[in-house]
Amino acid sequence: MNCLKNDIESIIEKIGNTPDKLIEILIEVQRQSEENYISKDALKIISKELKISLSKAYGVASFYSMLSTKKRGRYVIQICNSAPCYMNGGKQVKKYFEDILGITVGEMTDDGLFSLEFTGCIGTCDKAPAVKINDKVYGNLNKEKVEALVDSIRKEEEVCDFSF
Amino acid sequence: MILVSKLCGKISPLSLKDYKENGGFEALEKALFKMKTEQIIDEVRASNLKGRGGAAFPTGLKLQFVASEKSDIKYIICNADEGEPGTFKDKILLDGCPFQIIEGMIISALAVGASYGYIYIRGEYPQTKDLLKKAVNILKEEGFLGKNILGTDLCFDIEVRTGAGAYVCGEETALIESIEGNDGRSRFKPPYTANKGLWGKPTLVNNVETLINIPYIISLGSEEYKKFGTKSSSGTKLLSISGCVANKGVYEIEFGMTIREIINEICGGVETDKEIKFVQLGGSSGAVLPAEMLDIKIDFDELNKLGIGLGSGAMFVGDESICILDFVKTTMEFFKHESCGKCTPCREGNRHINKILNRIIEGKGSNRDLELLVDICELMKDTSLCGLGQSAPTALLTTMKYFEEEYKEHIEGFCRAGICNLKKGAVVYG
């Protein structure tokens, strides 16, 4: 909790401690968390620092779809389910990810590596169907590309594990 | 790319030298040193520029509303929250020529007497946000933003803010709520934002593409600018085209082209060997038009006559392989998810529309369901608090009008595209 408190305090110091900065702070706190979410403890600290109620902080964190108050995987795969991706086979892309990861949309893999979600249009309609994985966008997807994408992330993570 | 996007991809987006060598900030200098503030507003009014975000409100009038307000502080907001599905044109402008958008903001600030501006960019574009922050910092260092811009009395500063994934924040009052650090829920109007906007102060909210037009109008003059486009719709429009066309992408066109010309001449026709079945104009909140209507011109007056809006300029082209009901279901699920929940017609209407559509798609629908759908749609259009709920039923209503047979077929247990879990085949009526 202390470590978390220090981290959050330094984020707030950088962004500012007025209530209008709440969304920017929440985004940054989530980005720095290993599990891609904003914990209850983090919300408590933020609400105290910004002098707003905890319910207000929770309300905002749960309103915006990019923010999560539940633990997520290190890689959050967001599948676009808006009309342009739908027209170019978005539903199949969802199935490819579900099959290869063994989870359905809304779930997280047991190893905590991947979460699968839907998202609204991500503005990559010329490369539909597309997904967003953390901050990166991948387009023109098909079965092979989905498999290669998941493989490359898994391999990258294995390399990281050896370094410990 | 003929007018406002002509520098995108041609110059390095963060090179002030490149921008200035291509006429950058000439409009600002003209506005600052050679024009009175009323002249700037008059020029924009005379240009007949209409808002490019979706509502097509006359930009000059908006400037005048904010300019006529008396207040110690006024704000300008650049709405870069392009969340309308199928719209990705602002991203091209923001990534390609951020200085030009900011120049449009500075000129607007001069015209209305604003001292502070925000660029509100959607959270889905993190790299673009970083680029904008860099662009603002460069302009601060070079004296184009901050105190006494170019040695004059003009003081104007900009902050970049980001959303976190909420379609409704593209609506100006919800956007303002979000900048203030709240959930993005639309406000009751009036008061309008020109009167009481951000922190209760007069606020000008303009779309990225609208703002990028302003430097051109000032440097070319409204007469020259009006040579682009048609009588009712001057200038150009960026269209984001997706779906089954061969070349998907963002294209800047002059007003007056027909949808068919755009698809065939610019997008290289249809990618598949199938025929075009429909075009949805204006993104998910826009009208779905059948193939017989492709000769409509992209022109505000012509579209108005048919009761259609151009919206953000998104165009989805769908071929015969798509089931209209399944497509509309995808659209309505989007609105159900994005409704902020503040007003009852939108929150409940979207929920019930989805329930009824599912029933029809599963082959359990009845003619009574079709009547119910129309009733709910009309109610949402008339009574929803903001544009989201008012425009959410457009796709449903227009498909029920132009593709009525497919709705009837589903009720009888058929899906001609073979997408729904029903018998495949069309029913011949009459």
Side-chain angles (χ1 to χ4, degrees):
Chain A
M1 178 97 182
N2 266 340
C3 176
L4 179 74
K5 195 165 187 291
N6 292 341
D7 287 346
I8 293 176
E9 278 173 357
S10 65
I11 289 171
I12 294 176
E13 200 175 318
K14 208 178 124 211
I15 297 176
N17 66 353
T18 47
D20 60 304
K21 301 282 168 55
L22 176 61
I23 297 165
E24 306 273 331
I25 292 164
L26 291 172
I27 291 174
E28 192 54 27
V29 168
Q30 173 168 290
R31 206 182 62 82
Q32 290 191 16
S33 82
E34 272 280 293
E35 291 144 325
N36 265 309
Y37 86 119
I38 304 152
S39 66
K40 202 175 167 188
D41 287 337
L43 282 173
K44 278 184 189 161
I45 298 166
I46 294 168
S47 63
K48 219 172 175 182
E49 291 288 323
L50 299 191
K51 299 186 180 68
I52 55 174
S53 65
L54 179 59
S55 68
K56 164 81 190 268
Y58 176 77
V60 170
S62 56
F63 180 85
Y64 292 94
S65 61
M66 278 172 63
L67 303 174
S68 177
T69 51
K70 291 193 186 79
K71 276 186 192 172
R72 297 192 290 181
R74 278 207 292 288
Y75 293 85
V76 180
I77 303 173
Q78 294 182 305
I79 306 166
C80 173
N81 64 347
S82 286
C85 280
Y86 159 84
M87 287 206 230
N88 287 287
K91 278 190 183 172
Q92 280 84 347
V93 168
K94 166 189 166 258
K95 199 174 172 311
Y96 299 147
F97 274 109
E98 287 184 337
D99 287 349
I100 193 170
L101 298 175
I103 54 172
T104 57
V105 169
E107 293 179 339
M108 181 166 77
T109 53
D110 289 338
D111 57 3
L113 198 54
F114 296 102
S115 289
L116 211 49
E117 295 176 355
F118 279 131
T119 176
C121 186
I122 46 178
T124 321
C125 320
D126 52 342
K127 298 181 193 71
V131 300
K132 195 161 161 257
I133 303 180
N134 295 350
D135 272 353
K136 280 194 187 139
V137 171
Y138 303 87
N140 291 323
L141 295 175
N142 53 29
K143 194 165 184 239
E144 289 70 37
K145 281 189 189 166
V146 167
E147 285 169 355
L149 200 53
V150 173
D151 265 0
S152 74
I153 293 173
R154 280 184 176 148
K155 283 206 182 97
E156 207 174 298
E157 285 296 311
E158 273 171 28
V159 174
C160 291
D161 281 349
F162 284 128
S163 63
F164 284 108
Chain B
M1 301 293 167
I2 46 182
L3 186 70
V4 300
S5 62
K6 69 180 176 193
L7 296 183
C8 297
K10 299 273 169 20
I11 62 168
S12 165
L14 289 177
S15 163
L16 190 57
K17 186 171 160 278
D18 278 12
Y19 183 54
K20 282 168 111 176
E21 280 172 4
N22 285 281
F25 291 111
E26 278 173 14
L28 176 65
E29 286 179 18
K30 185 175 171 187
L32 264 177
F33 301 114
K34 293 184 186 145
M35 293 169 88
K36 289 186 184 140
T37 54
E38 303 84 55
Q39 281 177 306
I40 301 171
I41 297 175
D42 286 346
E43 204 65 54
V44 177
R45 280 191 77 167
S47 76
N48 199 17
L49 175 67
K50 288 174 183 156
R52 302 290 197 243
F57 191 83
T59 308
L61 209 54
K62 225 185 205 180
L63 286 172
Q64 202 182 14
F65 288 155
V66 180
S68 64
E69 290 289 332
K70 293 207 168 26
S71 173
D72 52 338
I73 185 160
K74 295 179 190 176
Y75 296 103
I76 289 191
I77 298 172
C78 167
N79 184 347
D81 191 58
E82 64 171 354
E84 185 65 49
T87 311
F88 45 114
K89 48 118 186 156
D90 289 341
K91 189 169 193 296
I92 302 286
L93 299 176
L94 292 161
D95 285 337
C97 203
F99 291 143
Q100 201 177 335
I101 298 157
I102 297 171
E103 186 178 357
M105 286 180 80
I106 305 171
I107 296 171
S108 305
L110 177 66
V112 303
S115 53
Y116 209 80
Y118 288 90
I119 301 175
Y120 183 87
I121 181 159
R122 66 191 306 226
E124 285 85 347
Y125 294 168
Q127 288 87 359
T128 311
K129 177 188 154 195
D130 291 343
L131 183 89
L132 284 170
K133 282 190 165 172
K134 283 182 191 151
V136 167
N137 284 335
I138 291 170
L139 294 183
K140 276 183 192 172
E141 281 167 23
E142 299 290 332
F144 288 97
L145 284 173
K147 282 189 178 142
N148 303 104
I149 292 173
L150 299 180
T152 64
D153 292 338
L154 180 65
C155 301
F156 179 67
D157 218 336
I158 290 178
E159 198 177 313
V160 179
R161 285 294 184 88
T162 172
Y167 169 74
V168 69
C169 288
E171 196 277 334
E172 57 183 12
T173 59
L175 188 159
I176 286 171
E177 285 289 330
S178 185
I179 292 183
E180 291 182 4
N182 306 321
D183 337 337
R185 290 201 162 92
S186 306
R187 293 176 178 173
F188 287 93
K189 285 185 265 191
Y192 292 94
T193 50
N195 175 229
K196 283 194 170 71
L198 188 60
W199 289 300
K201 301 292 181 187
T203 307
L204 178 79
V205 188
N206 273 336
N207 171 259
V208 170
E209 192 186 343
T210 313
L211 286 166
I212 209 166
N213 269 282
I214 289 178
Y216 283 105
I217 292 170
I218 297 302
S219 47
L220 291 174
S222 57
E223 281 310 310
E224 202 58 30
Y225 177 83
K226 276 200 286 194
K227 286 182 183 162
F228 290 94
T230 63
K231 196 163 174 282
S232 75
S233 319
S234 48
T236 62
K237 183 79 194 80
L238 265 71
L239 300 177
S240 321
I241 306 175
S242 59
C244 69
V245 292
N247 303 314
K248 290 172 263 194
V250 174
Y251 303 96
E252 185 178 355
I253 60 136
E254 239 182 293
F255 280 100
M257 276 184 96
T258 69
I259 297 177
R260 196 184 303 279
E261 283 167 356
I262 293 163
I263 293 173
N264 290 334
E265 290 166 26
I266 298 181
C267 304
V270 180
E271 189 177 34
T272 55
D273 54 2
K274 297 195 167 62
E275 296 287 319
I276 292 177
K277 182 170 183 175
F278 67 89
V279 169
Q280 187 173 21
L281 190 62
S284 286
S285 65
V288 179
L289 308 171
E292 302 85 66
M293 288 175 76
L294 296 188
D295 292 311
I296 296 179
K297 281 187 180 145
I298 300 293
D299 173 286
F300 290 123
D301 269 9
E302 291 234 349
L303 291 169
N304 266 345
K305 275 184 213 152
L306 297 160
I308 301 166
L310 177 58
S312 61
M315 238 166 89
F316 315 148
V317 184
D319 68 16
E320 287 168 321
S321 66
I322 291 170
C323 164
I324 285 288
L325 273 85
D326 197 49
F327 171 74
V328 169
K329 187 183 130 189
T330 305
T331 307
M332 296 318 295
E333 278 170 354
F334 170 78
F335 286 115
K336 183 181 142 202
H337 181 258
E338 295 298 339
S339 172
C340 82
K342 182 166 173 172
C343 75
T344 314
C346 177
R347 183 186 64 239
E348 299 302 318
N350 278 312
R351 242 164 45 86
H352 284 283
I353 286 174
N354 276 285
K355 258 169 95 175
I356 298 171
L357 275 177
N358 279 329
R359 204 149 64 210
I360 298 173
I361 284 170
E362 285 164 10
K364 295 173 192 154
S366 66
N367 286 324
R368 170 75 186 130
D369 282 330
L370 298 182
E371 287 168 23
L372 263 177
L373 280 178
V374 175
D375 281 352
I376 298 172
C377 288
E378 293 295 342
L379 182 94
M380 284 173 70
K381 254 172 73 180
D382 293 342
T383 61
S384 292
L385 179 59
C386 80
L388 193 157
Q390 290 158 12
S391 63
T394 311
L396 181 55
L397 279 173
T398 47
T399 51
M400 287 182 79
K401 182 173 168 191
Y402 298 121
F403 297 91
E404 194 187 355
E405 288 188 354
E406 276 196 50
Y407 282 87
K408 287 189 175 163
E409 271 168 24
H410 278 76
I411 286 173
E412 292 187 24
F414 292 90
C415 171
R416 66 174 73 181
I419 302 284
C420 304
N421 202 6
L422 300 169
K423 281 173 268 184
K424 190 172 190 292
V427 179
V428 181
Y429 292 94

